[in-house]
């Protein structure tokens, strides 16, 4: 499915209008449809006015109650998926202030219990040293001092033993020289230290691993309710159950090829030593 950022911004209103129009064309009242779908009239009204994005089950119930034709079902399914997808452009983040994005991430991390990170290109901020964080933000055309501080503050979530973190990093992500060699060795040492946390699993996928599906993007899955995908120009936020399920499936594939615990630590120690030499 192709996502156009412009379409993502309009899809919520389009879905609401389409559902409302379908009901009216069928000659049904909100009271009748709400009863058939076992939902309150208030909820249906909120769906039809765009104040609430309906879940996929709600959409299916509405379409079934209205006896929608197959072509309309397909159209509404696309709108529903787009409505559960959000585009967050990087330039907009710069204008708002990058530290605000850090507050949003901290809120996601606070709410989630099981967090999965796939990192094919670089180390994520939760695992990074201050020098690595500053260097990784060097391309930003705004003041990054508050953002660096917020990223470091967020790392406290790793000490919450009620949460479970799995970080999957490719060899490239670990060894990509964001900072000079001595600082890279320190960064890799930090990965080794964090891998001893009882609630943190750090997996490594070394070069040469035979995996049929390529590592296209950095992504994070929060429980089973939300996934974010990073691109050069921004990020896509998925809340559609199908999109989340697919990212979990991909993560599981990579996880089965990852090296964990002592195997991962031995490899990391070798890579740190190579930078020191």
């Amino acid at each position: 499915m192709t996502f156009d950022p412009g379409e993502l911004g309009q899809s919520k209103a389009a879905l609401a209008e389409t559902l409302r129009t379908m009901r009216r064309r069928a000659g049904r009242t909100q009271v009748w449809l709400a009863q058939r779908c076992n939902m309150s009239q208030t909820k249906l009204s909120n769906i039809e006015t765009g104040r609430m994005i309906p879940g996929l089950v709600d959409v299916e119930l509405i379409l079934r109650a209205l006896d929608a034709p197959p072509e309309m079902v397909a159209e509404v399914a696309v709108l529903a998926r787009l409505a559960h997808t959000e585009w967050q452009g990087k330039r907009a983040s710069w204008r708002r202030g990058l530290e605000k994005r850090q507050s949003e991430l901290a809120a996601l991390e606070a709410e989630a219990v099981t967090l999965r990170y796939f990192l094919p290109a670089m180390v994520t901020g939760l695992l990074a040293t201050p020098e690595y964080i500053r260097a990784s933000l060097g391309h930003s055309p705004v003041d990054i001092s508050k953002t660096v501080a917020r990223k470091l503050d967020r790392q406290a979530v790793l000490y919450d033993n009620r949460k479970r973190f799995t970080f999957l990093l490719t060899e490239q992500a670990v060894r990509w020289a964001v900072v000079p060699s001595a600082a890279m060795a320190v960064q890799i040492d930090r990965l080794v230290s964090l891998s001893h946390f009882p609630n943190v699993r750090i997996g490594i996928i070394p070069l040469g691993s035979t995996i049929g599906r390529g590592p296209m993007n950095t992504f994070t899955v929060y429980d089973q309710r939300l996934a974010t995908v990073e691109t050069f120009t921004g990020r896509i936020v998925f809340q559609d159950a199908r999109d989340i399920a697919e990212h979990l499936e991909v993560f599981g594939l990579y996880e089965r090829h990852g090296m964990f615990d002592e195997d991962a630590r031995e490899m990391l120690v070798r890579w740190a030593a190579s930078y020191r030499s």
Side-chain angles (χ1 to χ4, degrees), residues 172-222:
Q172 172 179 297
V174 176
R175 304 186 70 178
W176 188 269
V178 175
V179 289
S181 294
M184 281 300 298
V186 174
Q187 172 59 66
I188 298 174
D189 288 343
R190 174 166 169 77
L191 297 180
V192 174
S193 297
L194 292 173
S195 73
H196 288 284
F197 281 29
N199 61 326
V200 175
R201 297 177 69 234
I202 294 181
I204 305 299
I205 303 175
L207 289 173
S209 302
T210 304
I211 307 176
R213 195 158 189 176
M216 296 180 65
N217 295 94
T218 294
F219 67 84
T220 305
V221 183
Y222 300 89

Side-chain angles (χ1 to χ4, degrees), residues 116 168 213 219 221 241-257:
R116 302 172 177 88
L168 277 177
R213 195 158 189 176
F219 67 84
V221 183
R242 292 165 296 185
D243 294 316
I244 296 169
E246 183 162 355
H247 281 90
L248 286 172
E249 180 182 344
V250 173
F251 191 90
L253 170 66
Y254 294 146
E255 188 174 20
R256 289 191 292 274
H257 288 81

Side-chain angles (χ1 to χ4, degrees), residues 2-271:
T2 301
F3 291 106
D4 180 336
E7 289 182 359
L8 295 181
Q10 302 166 9
S11 58
K12 297 176 184 179
L15 176 62
E17 182 180 353
T18 300
L19 293 174
R20 183 173 64 251
T21 300
M22 288 176 61
R23 177 183 58 77
R24 289 174 175 172
R25 286 179 179 173
R28 300 300 187 181
T29 66
Q30 281 190 350
V31 173
W32 180 90
L33 183 56
Q35 289 176 345
R36 289 294 297 269
C37 296
N38 196 28
M39 67 176 67
S40 69
Q41 184 183 354
T42 300
K43 178 177 179 179
L44 181 59
S45 176
N46 287 336
I47 289 172
E48 291 192 353
T49 55
R51 291 192 293 267
M52 175 187 292
I53 304 174
L56 300 180
V57 173
D58 291 330
V59 171
E60 184 179 345
L61 289 172
I62 292 171
L63 293 176
R64 189 181 304 163
L66 296 175
D67 196 22
E71 62 273 13
M72 185 57 69
V73 171
E75 178 183 336
V76 174
V78 170
L79 286 175
R81 195 168 191 177
L82 288 172
H84 283 84
T85 306
E86 179 184 354
W87 167 254
Q88 298 177 346
K90 187 159 288 185
R91 287 176 176 81
S93 293
W94 289 339
R95 289 193 298 269
R96 291 191 308 132
L98 292 177
E99 68 277 6
K100 290 185 174 61
R101 171 61 182 163
Q102 296 307 307
S103 297
E104 293 168 358
L105 288 173
L108 286 174
E109 291 155 0
E111 189 174 349
V113 175
T114 303
L115 302 95
R116 302 172 177 88
Y117 300 78
F118 177 62
L119 307 166
M122 291 177 63
V123 174
T124 188
L126 288 181
L127 305 178
T129 63
E131 187 170 355
Y132 190 102
I133 290 174
R134 281 191 292 269
S136 68
L137 293 171
H139 66 284
S140 303
V142 293
D143 179 22
I144 63 171
S145 55
K146 292 181 179 177
T147 305
V148 173
R150 289 294 290 122
K151 277 181 173 281
L152 293 173
D153 288 344
R154 281 176 48 218
Q155 293 178 355
V157 75
L158 297 175
Y159 294 86
D160 186 346
N161 287 328
R162 296 169 299 178
K163 300 180 183 295
R164 292 292 177 265
F165 298 87
T166 302
F167 299 91
L168 277 177
L169 300 95
T170 64
E171 180 174 342
Q172 172 179 297
V174 176
R175 304 186 70 178
W176 188 269
V178 175
V179 289
S181 294
M184 281 300 298
V186 174
Q187 172 59 66
I188 298 174
D189 288 343
R190 174 166 169 77
L191 297 180
V192 174
S193 297
L194 292 173
S195 73
H196 288 284
F197 281 29
N199 61 326
V200 175
R201 297 177 69 234
I202 294 181
I204 305 299
I205 303 175
L207 289 173
S209 302
T210 304
I211 307 176
R213 195 158 189 176
M216 296 180 65
N217 295 94
T218 294
F219 67 84
T220 305
V221 183
Y222 300 89
D223 296 324
Q224 296 186 358
R225 60 184 179 82
L226 187 144
T228 62
V229 176
E230 304 287 335
T231 73
F232 277 114
T233 55
R235 62 187 59 82
I236 303 173
V237 181
F238 295 100
Q239 298 182 69
D240 186 293
R242 292 165 296 185
D243 294 316
I244 296 169
E246 183 162 355
H247 281 90
L248 286 172
E249 180 182 344
V250 173
F251 191 90
L253 170 66
Y254 294 146
E255 188 174 20
R256 289 191 292 274
H257 288 81
M259 302 174 64
F260 291 89
D261 301 322
E262 284 305 318
D263 290 336
R265 284 190 280 269
E266 288 176 10
M267 185 166 290
L268 290 168
V269 168
R270 285 204 308 273
W271 293 342

